[in-house]
């Protein structure tokens, strides 16, 4: 069924431009494409069912996003092959009385009719509100916030850290709460979707047993762009997730499950030939781009996607967003949670790849902000998972890349950078501790502080701590807290300190989970290491 019907050719291209305003002319760059749907467009259903989002906060603007999908879970998503103009506006107030800038963007079928508008010309460090209109339909509205001017004096920055949102393992109650925090931005560390088969049961590490899934995507394991799109559509139909997107701009980066479990570089766990695996990576990368508010600079080129980038917030924070998947050497010692093998000392293994590592080292050495944040995916701190003689490591963390990690820590220490705070996900637990220089010497100097922030839903209800937590704490004295509940991190940065409030839920399997603060920590900008907040 053709959903976008140019039922009446009511407007010429020139009229369309005039009606959209001068700013739109710059934004549009209308191609001479016969697929452009002029005039009124009609939809078979509400086209903004996947919500809206903003992201990539810069001092003069941000990205606003939506995607036209009147039938999100049907093949074709209820859209035809037309290019569809979508009007947008950004206002200084939530009632849209004072519109700051507006225009018309084109939703292309090649991008699943996603719209990414790079809004510019705004004032730094203040909230704005945005919305879209297409045909007779108007989207929900969202709140975005511009970054404070880089280097300018800034008293306070508040942001949230979230990720790992397996749809089948829990509800998004944490996002419902996060949406009410009025943060300046959200850092999403990855695992926005989970690929794989949707099963009626999953394994809970807290219970060491299988538990029933509270809900299911009920979709096939994705390989094609359209299958990945369907998976994103299922996730994004969740209204708690939509509220969290509409509440603040997001800075997102992928981890593994946006493509497939524990992938790195050209390597998949099942030994798919790299050139074949790259086809799946390309499909997944495109769908990821289509559904998150990225800048055009992150538009994938085949399997490649530019995701490492830096954000600055006044004189308080430089945030280096790292991509620890795309350039990493294949996991040594056969991946998984296993004993470390001699390959962990292989000097040729890399986590960041040469170009990203140089970019990071230059940024850290030249940084002037009060705090340097490394916003990344897998745990940097060394961690022996079992007490006693056994040396069990998470071989998908930084642990088996000891030479690459030492190079990073030596760079931080050698340049006397004492304000590095690492923000991490992946573990589906809160794990807070000190990044020590030598993982074979628990008394070695503290180089940085790390907050591994728990999952939104992955792992299900959980509880205070897993059966192995006490042993892990005893074995790793640089780790100060382990907790296995769902939630998010709330971070407040001032000139005096960075404080982290770990918010957790009592349960996520049924609606109405209660939120509480599990622990608060503080970090001094002149002394690496975590303190009780
Ligand atoms: Fe995850």
């Amino acid at each position: 069924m053709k959903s976008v019907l140019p039922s009446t050719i009511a407007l010429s291209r020139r009229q369309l431009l005039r009606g959209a305003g001068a700013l739109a002319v710059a934004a549009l760059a209308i191609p001479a494409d016969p697929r452009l749907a002029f005039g009124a467009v009609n939809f078979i259903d509400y086209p903004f069912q996947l919500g809206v989002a903003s992201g990539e906060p810069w001092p003069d603007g941000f990205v606003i996003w939506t995607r036209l999908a009147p039938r999100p879970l049907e093949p074709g998503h209820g859209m035809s092959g037309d290019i569809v103009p979508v009007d947008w506006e950004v206002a200084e107030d939530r009632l849209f009385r004072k519109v700051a800038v507006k225009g018309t963007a084109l939703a292309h079928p090649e991008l699943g009719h996603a719209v990414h508008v790079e809004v510019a010309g705004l004032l730094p460090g203040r909230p704005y509100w945005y919305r879209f209109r297409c045909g007779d339909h108007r989207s929900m509205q969202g709140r975005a916030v511009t970054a404070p001017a880089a280097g300018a004096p800034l008293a306070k920055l508040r942001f949230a850290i979230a990720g790992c949102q397996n749809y089948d393992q829990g509800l998004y109650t944490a996002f419902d709460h996060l949406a009410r925090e009025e943060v300046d931005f959200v850092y999403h560390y990855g695992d926005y979707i989970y690929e794989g088969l949707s099963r009626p049961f999953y394994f809970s590490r807290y219970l060491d047993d299988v538990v029933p899934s509270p809900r299911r995507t009920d979709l096939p394991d994705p390989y094609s762009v359209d299958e990945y799109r369907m998976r994103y559509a299922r996730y994004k139909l969740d209204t708690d997730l939509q509220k969290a997107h509409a509440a603040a701009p997001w800075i997102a980066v992928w981890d593994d499950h946006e493509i497939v479990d524990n992938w790195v570089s050209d390597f998949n766990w099942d030994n798919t030939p790299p050139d074949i695996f790259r086809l799946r990576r390309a499909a997944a990368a495109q769908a990821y781009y289509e559904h998150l508010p990225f800048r055009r600079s992150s538009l994938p080129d085949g399997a490649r996607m530019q995701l490492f980038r830096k954000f600055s917030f006044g004189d308080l924070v430089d945030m280096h967003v790292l991509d620890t998947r795309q350039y990493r050497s294949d996991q040594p010692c056969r991946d998984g949670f296993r004993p470390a093998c001699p390959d962990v000392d292989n000097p040729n293994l890399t986590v960041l790849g040469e170009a990203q590592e140089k970019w990071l080292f230059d940024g850290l050495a030249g940084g002037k902000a009060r705090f340097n944040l490394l916003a990344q995916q897998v745990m940097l701190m060394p961690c022996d998972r079992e007490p006693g003689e056994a040396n069990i490591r998470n071989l998908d963390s930084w642990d088996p890349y000891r030479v690459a990690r030492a190079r990073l820590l030596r760079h931080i220490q050698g340049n006397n950078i004492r304000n590095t705070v690492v923000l991490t996900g992946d573990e589906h637990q809160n794990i807070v501790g000190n990044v020590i220089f030598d993982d074979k010497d628990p008394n070695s100097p503290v180089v940085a502080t790390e907050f591994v922030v728990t999952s939104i839903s992955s792992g299900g209800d959980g509880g205070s701590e897993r059966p192995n937590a006490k042993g892990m704490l005893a074995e790793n004295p640089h780790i100060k807290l382990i907790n296995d509940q769902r939630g998010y991190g709330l971070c407040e940065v001032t000139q005096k300190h960075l404080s982290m409030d770990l918010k957790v839920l009592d349960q996520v399997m049924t609606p109405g989970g209660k939120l509480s603060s599990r622990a608060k920590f503080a970090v001094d900008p002149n002394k690496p290491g975590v303190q009780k907040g």
Side-chain angles (χ1 to χ4, degrees), residues 168-302:
D168 291 28
Q169 296 189 2
L171 307 180
Y172 291 166
T173 315
F175 275 135
D176 179 31
H177 289 280
L178 191 158
R180 289 177 238 161
E181 300 280 9
E182 288 242 330
V183 289
D184 297 312
F185 68 91
V186 174
Y187 168 55
H188 191 280
Y189 57 67
D191 284 0
Y192 190 97
I193 57 157
Y194 281 68
E195 92 301 350
L197 288 171
S198 182
R199 294 195 172 91
F201 294 93
Y202 67 94
F203 185 76
S204 159
R205 287 185 190 273
Y206 176 74
L207 296 171
D208 200 21
D209 203 353
V210 290
V211 294
S213 303
R215 59 179 180 174
R216 299 182 60 189
T217 55
D218 216 10
L219 293 166
D221 198 7
Y223 285 86
S224 68
V225 178
D226 221 48
E227 285 166 346
Y228 277 105
R229 279 177 184 153
M230 212 74 92
R231 184 77 48 137
Y232 280 95
R234 174 71 87 199
Y235 277 60
K236 289 183 90 77
L237 284 167
D238 184 289
T239 52
D240 289 331
L241 176 58
Q242 290 192 10
K243 278 186 269 181
H245 273 298
W250 283 33
I251 294 171
V253 63
W254 62 24
D255 193 9
D256 53 336
H257 288 285
E258 283 82 0
I259 295 171
V260 66
D261 187 25
N262 282 12
W263 75 282
V264 292
S265 188
D266 283 340
F267 306 104
N268 187 11
W269 60 271
D270 64 358
N271 296 322
T272 307
D275 48 351
I276 306 292
F277 179 50
R278 274 197 291 275
L279 299 174
R280 187 179 191 184
R281 276 181 57 195
Q286 178 174 339
Y288 183 50
Y289 175 82
E290 285 174 357
H291 290 87
L292 274 295
F294 288 119
R295 288 187 183 269
R296 188 58 169 258
S297 53
S298 291
L299 180 69
D301 177 7

Side-chain angles (χ1 to χ4, degrees), residues 164 187 189-191 253-256 262-264 322-325 328 331 335 351-352 374-382 385 394-401 405 408 422-427 435 450-453:
C164 286
Y187 168 55
Y189 57 67
D191 284 0
V253 63
W254 62 24
D255 193 9
D256 53 336
N262 282 12
W263 75 282
V264 292
L322 307 184
D323 178 348
T324 60
R325 288 283 163 199
R328 201 201 306 184
Q331 292 99 337
D335 203 353
V351 173
L352 301 176
L374 303 190
Q376 51 120 41
Q377 293 80 49
V378 293
M379 193 152 84
L380 182 65
M381 279 183 285
R385 307 276 162 161
N394 177 1
L395 298 166
D396 186 46
S397 71
W398 281 77
D399 246 348
Y401 303 86
R405 178 170 60 194
L408 170 60
V422 186
L423 307 174
T424 305
D426 178 59
E427 296 276 346
V435 184
E450 184 166 18
F451 294 99
V452 178
V453 174

